[in-house]
Amino acid sequence: TYVVLDNCIACKYTDCVEVCPVDCFYEGENMLVIHPDECIDCGVCEPECPADAIRPDTEPDMEKWVEFNRKYSELW
Ligand code: SF4
């Protein structure tokens, strides 16, 4: 899965949401999040993010961000 990191906070762009083929972005409290079970790992959102906030969970220390993204995706 891909995850959104806190560089997203206060970013006004939603280019990532528009390109996602499975619509798995959700509004968190003050940033967007990706539902980790819905993301198909296509990677098209990553280069669209002007805040450099989207990363694959294969990078080190991403577990807490996966859980953060899951928690806020499931709030509504
Ligand atoms: Fe959506 Fe693909 Fe980004 Fe996952 S990697 S959030 S499926 S655009």
Side-chain angles (χ1 to χ4, degrees):
T1 183
Y2 277 69
V3 295
V4 185
L5 309 182
D6 55 1
N7 310 15
C8 177
I9 295 173
C11 175
K12 293 186 211 66
Y13 294 92
T14 53
D15 307 47
C16 53
V17 178
E18 279 155 35
V19 297
C20 179
V22 294
D23 258 339
C24 64
F25 280 90
Y26 294 84
E27 289 273 356
E29 273 185 342
N30 51 7
M31 56 179 272
L32 293 171
V33 289
I34 292 170
H35 195 305
D37 298 338
E38 295 174 7
C39 173
I40 57 170
D41 251 344
C42 70
V44 302
C45 55
E46 188 182 6
E48 299 298 326
C49 178
D52 208 18
I54 302 175
R55 285 287 161 35
D57 74 340
T58 48
E59 289 188 3
D61 301 320
M62 287 294 165
E63 273 165 41
K64 74 167 182 163
W65 285 108
V66 174
E67 288 323 303
F68 180 95
N69 276 245
R70 180 187 303 283
K71 177 178 163 196
Y72 284 96
S73 302
E74 291 176 347
L75 277 189
W76 343 100

